[in-house]
Amino acid sequence: MKVLLFGGAGYIGTHVAISFLERGDTVGIYDNLSSGLLENVQKGSKFYLGDIMDREKVSEVLSEGWDAVVHLAAAKAAGESMTNPEKYSRYNITGSLILITECIRHSVKNFILSSSAATFGEPGYVPIDEKHPTNPTNYYGYTKLLIEENLKWYSKLKGLNFVALRYFNAAGYDTEGRMTGLERSPQNLIPIVMEAATGKREKIVIFGDDYDTPDGTCIRDYVHVSDLARAHVMAADFLIKEKRNLIVNLGSEKGLSVKEIVEASRRITGVDIRSEIGPRRAGDPAKLIASSKLAEKELGWKAEESDLYTIIKSTWDVYKRYN
Ligand code: UFG
């Protein structure tokens, strides 16, 4: 299969490239390197330097003919989206619509969207299944939901089939060390804890300990990025075989609190990571845990490397080199 990954040099995209390359697919990587890194572009793939806002360049690369497109080119920090929504309107909404409409023009039939659990907002019940109402509490989640909705329309009107993968909290690194470049200015919990462990940061600030959870800190479902990556390959096969749309959750089905992550990181790194409690961050739901039953039923997917030890250890193995 010939697959083009927009945002394929980023944190998740690199792992997705590894999964497709592993089974011998032809992989193109389109990235503006704003957060992605050239160092992460995998051997055996073809790299295109470009921005998804550049319609001409997107069109030129799509004209080479692709069996499937994976769209991972987006800004992804829920907290930042509440203070700088303009950035999210531009890349996540306008950029995605440029990409989708160019895919239609070039008769791409199979589209995989990197979506998010942030589409749900504050859960009415957990585990969250795909029937759960969508009510994003941050602007980032709204941008993902809007693109899912557009894909439904374009599917109806223009015959594009799509799979939207609603990632819960992506974490961990390739356990075989094929991704070496670290994310620049990471904003997610585990990389920040790792930076506190290497001394790049003085401490980790825990955003609120007065949530309605057992230890008062937010609970999230951390899913290993290599598990997420495999789901993209399965989604591409699904689209080619089934020729229909699918929106699925991808999570480990286990919840971990911020404090549990910090404590496990102390144990696994052997570093006495400093932490302090700070105020809540706007837009943070107290508890997100996935039901991934539908992904198992439709794609045959299940999290396999998403245990806490593998997630923290594989991340530390990459970060400790920068110690
Ligand atoms: N947190 C801290 N301190 C920090 C950073 C994070 O306490 O310095 C807390 C947050 O408040 C939250 C938890 O750690 O409770 C996880 O925060 P992240 O920023 O790592 O992740 P989010 O849950 O906010 O969002 C992530 C992705 C989104 C995705 C979402 C889906 O960044 O793209 O998971 O669950 F949509």
Side-chain angles (χ1 to χ4, degrees):
M1 168 183 329
K2 225 180 136 191
V3 54
L4 180 57
L5 313 182
F6 286 88
Y11 167 60
I12 297 177
T14 301
H15 289 90
V16 173
I18 292 170
S19 284
F20 277 106
L21 286 165
E22 247 176 2
R23 67 159 198 183
D25 290 322
T26 299
V27 175
I29 290 177
Y30 185 105
D31 203 296
N32 67 0
L33 300 180
S34 66
S35 57
L37 296 169
L38 207 48
E39 150 183 14
N40 286 330
V41 171
Q42 297 292 302
K43 249 197 227 104
S45 59
K46 183 167 177 196
F47 180 66
Y48 305 88
L49 178 65
D51 196 296
I52 52 165
M53 303 299 291
D54 182 350
R55 189 180 278 277
E56 264 173 45
K57 178 79 189 180
V58 168
S59 173
E60 184 192 311
V61 177
L62 283 173
S63 72
E64 291 184 20
W66 301 88
D67 300 309
V69 159
V70 183
H71 175 28
L72 309 116
K76 66 169 171 97
E80 182 194 46
S81 77
M82 300 296 279
T83 51
N84 186 6
E86 296 86 350
K87 175 175 169 188
Y88 288 74
S89 307
R90 188 173 152 76
Y91 281 100
N92 296 14
I93 299 179
T94 310
S96 295
L97 291 174
I98 289 173
L99 177 53
I100 293 166
T101 50
E102 286 307 314
C103 282
I104 302 288
R105 211 156 70 82
H106 290 280
S107 306
V108 172
K109 287 278 162 262
N110 304 307
F111 192 95
I112 298 165
L113 174 72
S114 172
S115 188
S116 171
T119 50
F120 292 113
E122 190 66 55
Y125 58 86
V126 289
I128 302 170
D129 57 20
E130 291 76 0
K131 294 195 184 89
H132 189 287
T134 45
N135 237 325
T137 50
N138 51 62
Y139 187 70
Y140 162 74
Y142 166 73
T143 67
K144 290 290 175 180
L145 189 59
L146 188 86
I147 298 309
E148 286 185 3
E149 293 299 322
N150 271 275
L151 283 169
K152 287 183 195 164
W153 277 105
Y154 276 100
S155 178
K156 240 189 296 195
L157 303 173
K158 298 283 178 174
L160 172 83
N161 289 323
F162 75 92
V163 173
L165 299 172
R166 288 182 175 161
Y167 314 148
F168 279 62
N169 288 54
Y173 270 75
D174 177 47
T175 51
E176 290 176 36
R178 287 167 289 190
M179 177 164 174
T180 51
L182 296 177
E183 277 187 281
R184 280 191 289 250
S185 3
Q187 302 198 38
N188 290 112
L189 176 64
I190 296 177
I192 288 175
V193 173
M194 294 295 130
E195 288 191 349
T198 60
K200 189 166 181 209
R201 279 173 202 260
E202 202 190 312
K203 62 186 176 213
I204 157 87
V205 178
I206 296 175
F207 297 145
D209 69 347
D210 57 350
Y211 285 94
D212 185 17
T213 60
D215 67 18
T217 64
C218 288
I219 291 178
R220 293 289 181 273
D221 178 328
Y222 294 89
V223 51
H224 196 286
V225 66
S226 300
D227 280 333
L228 293 182
R230 276 189 303 112
H232 295 72
V233 176
M234 292 169 163
D237 290 346
F238 171 92
L239 283 168
I240 285 166
K241 186 159 164 261
E242 301 273 335
K243 300 183 175 50
R244 63 184 165 95
N245 302 332
L246 179 66
I247 298 179
V248 279
N249 291 346
L250 298 176
S252 68
E253 306 192 312
K254 288 186 297 266
L256 292 165
S257 74
V258 176
K259 277 190 180 163
E260 284 174 308
I261 293 287
V262 175
E263 273 153 27
S265 301
R266 287 188 182 123
R267 259 193 333 269
I268 294 164
T269 63
V271 180
D272 186 20
I273 301 161
R274 271 191 63 200
S275 66
E276 83 180 30
I277 308 295
R280 287 184 176 198
R281 184 176 69 180
D284 267 351
K287 190 172 182 180
L288 290 175
I289 302 173
S291 159
S292 286
K293 301 281 174 290
L294 188 65
E296 187 173 358
K297 178 170 167 259
E298 295 282 16
L299 302 176
W301 180 87
K302 232 182 144 86
E304 287 169 4
E305 297 181 66
S306 296
D307 57 283
L308 180 58
Y309 180 80
T310 306
I311 285 178
I312 305 282
K313 175 72 167 55
S314 62
T315 312
W316 179 234
D317 283 344
V318 181
Y319 271 82
K320 72 183 174 201
R321 278 190 252 130
Y322 295 82
N323 208 341

